[in-house]
Amino acid sequence: MTENTSREDSAWTEIDRLKNQLSEVEGEVRWLKWLLFATLGFLVLLVWRYAST
């Protein structure tokens, strides 16, 4: 019985660790999306500026 409890505790510890990693990755993805949209917006602005001259 102690071995099963130990496995369950280990599994829950691993799940918590993976949840933390997932939240970190989600934060990085959010930052990368912002960077992507800012870069695309800047490129569109450049194309619009030079196309109108």
Side-chain angles (χ1 to χ4, degrees), residues 25-51:
V25 169
E26 287 174 339
E28 291 175 8
V29 167
R30 193 175 304 119
W31 185 83
L32 288 172
K33 280 183 184 177
W34 179 88
L35 183 62
L36 173 67
F37 285 118
T39 303
L40 288 175
F42 181 70
L43 289 175
V44 167
L45 181 65
L46 285 177
V47 168
W48 176 70
R49 171 107 171 118
Y50 287 109

Side-chain angles (χ1 to χ4, degrees), residues 1-46:
M1 186 70 179
T2 305
E3 187 177 326
N4 286 342
T5 304
S6 175
R7 284 186 195 164
E8 287 180 18
D9 290 345
S10 178
W12 284 113
T13 301
E14 183 69 14
I15 289 170
D16 288 339
R17 187 183 67 80
L18 291 172
K19 282 181 181 178
N20 289 337
Q21 284 183 342
L22 180 62
S23 66
E24 290 175 10
V25 169
E26 287 174 339
E28 291 175 8
V29 167
R30 193 175 304 119
W31 185 83
L32 288 172
K33 280 183 184 177
W34 179 88
L35 183 62
L36 173 67
F37 285 118
T39 303
L40 288 175
F42 181 70
L43 289 175
V44 167
L45 181 65
L46 285 177

